[in-house]
Amino acid sequence: MRTKVWQCYVRSPGATSLSDTSNDEIAPIQQESDILWIRQLVQEYAAELGFNSLDQTKLVTAASELSRNTLIHGGGGEMIIAKIQTERQRGLRMIFEDRGPGIKDIDQALTDGFTTGEGMGLGLGGAKRLVNEFEVAERDGGGTIITVTRWA
Amino acid sequence: MSGKLKTHIPQVIEKYEQKILDEWIKEQLSTATLRPDLIREDELREQCATFIEHLQAGLKGSNITDIEHSNWAPLRELLSSITRSRTTQGFTPTETATFVFSFKQPLYEQLRKSHDTSDGLAEDLWTATVILDKLGLFITEVHLKTREEVIARQQEEMFELSSPVVELWDGVLGLPVIGTMDSKRTQLVMESLLQRLAETQSEMAIIDITGVPTVDTLTAQHLLKTVNAAQLMGAQCVISGVRPQIAQTMVHLGINLGDVVTKATMASALAHAFAHQGLEISSVAKKQG
Amino acid sequence: MESIPILHMGDFLLVTIQTDMHDQIALDLQNNLSKSIVQTGARGVLIDISVMDIVDSYIARVIGNIAQMSRVLDAETVLAGMQPSVAMTLVEMGVTLAGVRTALNADKGMAMLRKISGSD
């Protein structure tokens, strides 16, 4: 269960309905090679949903950012990916979950750009701009759950 | 909205279904909004019967006025498909929404007759109104979305015909933009420009906006993004044809073009491109016979 | 463990990045490059990413680091061959790669390096 939720974008109506949750897939994020696998997976899903080439690139890049964040900042975790369908549109949803230390200052993390210096940016701010919906939640028991959605 | 609502609506609908259905259909056939030229009565009957069936399903939930709930999904799907087909047939949003709104009268009639206390009646009438109004608005939303899809398709087709990327010179691409640049179109145009830059390995692109009447913030942002993206690729964009009005608008909107090179005319932009390549134009000396 | 090869071409070093680099490989590359620059006295580094169709902020940061490090060692860096969709995605994310010169391809990148270091 989620305790605190920072919602950055207003959900479009009907977005909560996953009409078929049985089609989701779980990918572990425990080591670097998992990120490569996730990129492939996301690319496949995106292509199947009919996203054009540029949008596929954006989705894979966002997934790369977020899974790296899960691995490096969250100490490992997993990604759940699913095609979602509302009666108005279809899209891709990815949920990144870790049991790490959590994000102390979410607002700061989200506005944190890409410092060309030390590079402490978590990559969240950038990933946020590549998707339509972006939600960061604190996981009960510690950790972070990041849910992103892009509509086709 | 509130949690468990004790309502008699489902029972009333079940008991008086046929009567409600008949009254509802009669109501629709009699109003001017039915468009008998576009929809047949037996088709209408079927739609109405299915509506009631799915309405009953939706009323089974605990929070019945939340039409986003999954119990209401079958009804939303039905309304979506009815709306989409009527929209493409040419119905106006009012004509389609009347499908739901005209249900009120027959339902209220039966509710009135079935209630013995005015309290219970008021509550049920309010609940019914809330639900049916939301459904009516839902129809309007779907109608709008359908229209948007049609327009988007048409726009893409139009785009195919305008704003081609031309090779002005070896290593210099030109993009004369004609017409209003809305967000979607600008994105498509810019993507194709960057694609051509990569294909031709051209180091310069001249985006001419002489034929663009207005530039809004979003379009200017896309323009800027394109220039930045081209830069990351190793190419430079010059924007030409910036008319005084557009310059003023950009200042008013606080759009800062930063380091982007802008030229008043395509010709001066071309001269700039040649200079950048270390080229110079000189007249051919006349040869003596 | 694979590491990214560094080619020595005259006054310059050429690095071709083909797949996603992660921690150790990225660190090794940066270390090896700084060593090579010093050892060869190279005036510039060309990073060719023409085969990469995904570049995230991590890779962008590594590239930025390489450019900074090279500058400290008195060498210039040119990033060559970024694909259009990569460029558009980075811009969308807000990644600027400020301070990194860019070229459409490796040839033009080399020409640029010759020009920059020639005028030094």
Side-chain angles (χ1 to χ4, degrees), chain A residues 32 36 39 54 57-58 60-61 64-65 68 114 116-117 119 121 123 126 129-130, chain C residues 20-23 53-58 61 65 68 85 88-89 92-95:
Chain A
E32 289 285 349
L36 283 175
R39 284 178 167 192
L54 175 59
T57 301
K58 288 181 179 174
V60 174
T61 307
S64 190
E65 296 286 351
R68 229 192 268 279
F114 297 90
T116 48
R129 294 193 223 184
L130 297 177
Chain C
D20 188 38
M21 283 192 291
H22 47 81
D23 285 325
D53 47 17
I54 301 287
V55 173
D56 62 16
S57 66
Y58 176 76
R61 215 173 307 131
N65 288 346
Q68 262 197 329
S85 42
M88 284 188 269
T89 303
E92 197 69 45
M93 284 199 285
V95 176

Side-chain angles (χ1 to χ4, degrees), chain A residues 4 23 32 37 57 67 78 93 100 103 119 128 144 146 151:
Chain A
K4 295 176 228 173
N23 73 355
E32 289 285 349
W37 165 243
T57 301
S67 46
E78 63 192 20
R93 173 162 295 154
I103 301 176
K128 183 179 88 168
T144 314
I146 300 177
W151 301 106

Side-chain angles (χ1 to χ4, degrees), chain B residues 24-239:
Chain B
W24 184 24
I25 291 175
K26 194 167 118 195
E27 178 96 21
Q28 291 182 76
L29 290 174
S30 68
T31 65
T33 60
L34 177 60
R35 306 293 299 274
D37 53 318
L38 292 177
I39 188 166
R40 298 188 324 272
E41 191 180 322
D42 54 347
E43 205 181 319
L44 179 65
R45 268 189 187 275
E46 201 182 313
Q47 289 175 348
C48 292
T50 317
F51 176 88
I52 293 183
E53 187 188 322
H54 291 325
L55 178 66
Q56 291 289 58
L59 290 169
K60 282 195 172 56
S62 53
N63 190 358
I64 58 176
T65 53
D66 175 17
I67 66 160
E68 297 301 329
H69 195 271
S70 53
N71 280 3
W72 288 106
L75 184 56
R76 288 201 311 270
E77 268 173 49
L78 172 71
L79 290 178
S80 277
S81 87
I82 291 178
T83 308
R84 254 182 246 119
S85 80
R86 290 197 188 186
T87 305
T88 42
Q89 280 178 305
F91 280 71
T92 68
T94 307
E95 285 165 355
T96 313
T98 302
F99 175 73
V100 162
F101 292 135
S102 56
F103 184 72
K104 285 187 182 180
Q105 176 67 7
L107 176 63
Y108 293 175
E109 190 72 42
Q110 297 310 319
L111 281 174
R112 246 198 307 270
K113 288 184 188 159
S114 314
H115 273 277
D116 39 7
T117 67
S118 57
D119 279 345
L121 175 62
E123 186 142 351
D124 274 352
L125 285 181
W126 174 247
T127 305
T129 304
V130 168
I131 295 173
L132 292 174
D133 281 351
K134 285 189 184 179
L135 292 174
L137 285 174
F138 174 80
I139 284 184
T140 313
E141 256 181 66
V142 175
H143 179 100
L144 282 173
K145 188 138 211 282
T146 310
R147 294 278 303 161
E148 275 166 34
E149 283 164 20
V150 170
I151 293 174
R153 235 185 355 256
Q154 289 174 340
Q155 276 185 335
E156 270 192 56
E157 284 160 23
M158 255 182 18
F159 158 67
E160 298 294 321
L161 304 169
S162 63
S163 291
V165 177
V166 293
E167 284 188 58
L168 292 173
W169 194 257
D170 192 23
V172 182
L173 295 185
L175 178 60
V177 184
I178 315 287
T180 322
M181 297 286 283
D182 67 46
S183 185
K184 184 80 204 283
R185 184 169 167 224
T186 310
Q187 275 186 300
L188 289 170
V189 165
M190 296 307 153
E191 272 174 50
S192 80
L193 174 63
L194 293 173
Q195 212 58 55
R196 288 297 285 155
L197 276 172
E199 280 164 26
T200 58
Q201 295 286 281
S202 303
E203 286 185 332
M204 184 149 305
I206 300 174
I207 304 174
D208 185 82
I209 59 172
T210 310
V212 177
T214 50
V215 175
D216 62 13
T217 316
L218 220 51
T219 306
Q221 279 176 356
H222 282 308
L223 221 52
L224 266 176
K225 284 186 190 170
T226 307
V227 173
N228 289 335
Q231 215 155 36
L232 281 176
M233 285 170 57
Q236 203 193 87
C237 282
V238 173
I239 301 180

Side-chain angles (χ1 to χ4, degrees), chain A residues 106-121:
Chain A
I106 292 198
D107 288 325
Q108 204 260 324
L110 289 172
T111 54
D112 201 12
F114 297 90
T115 50
T116 48
E118 264 58 43
M120 281 304 288

Side-chain angles (χ1 to χ4, degrees), chain A residues 11 76 87 93 97 120:
Chain A
R11 284 177 180 284
E87 67 278 325
R93 173 162 295 154
E97 180 168 341
M120 281 304 288

Side-chain angles (χ1 to χ4, degrees), chain C residues 3-9 13-21 25 29 33 45-52 59 63 66 78-81 106 110:
Chain C
S3 65
I4 299 177
I6 301 173
L7 291 181
H8 186 186
M9 295 179 68
L13 299 175
L14 167 63
V15 173
T16 306
I17 306 178
Q18 295 181 296
T19 56
D20 188 38
M21 283 192 291
I25 297 189
L29 177 61
L33 259 176
V45 176
L46 180 69
I47 305 177
D48 185 347
I49 57 166
S50 52
V51 198
M52 295 192 79
I59 302 293
I63 293 173
I66 292 176
V78 172
L79 180 65
M110 277 303 191

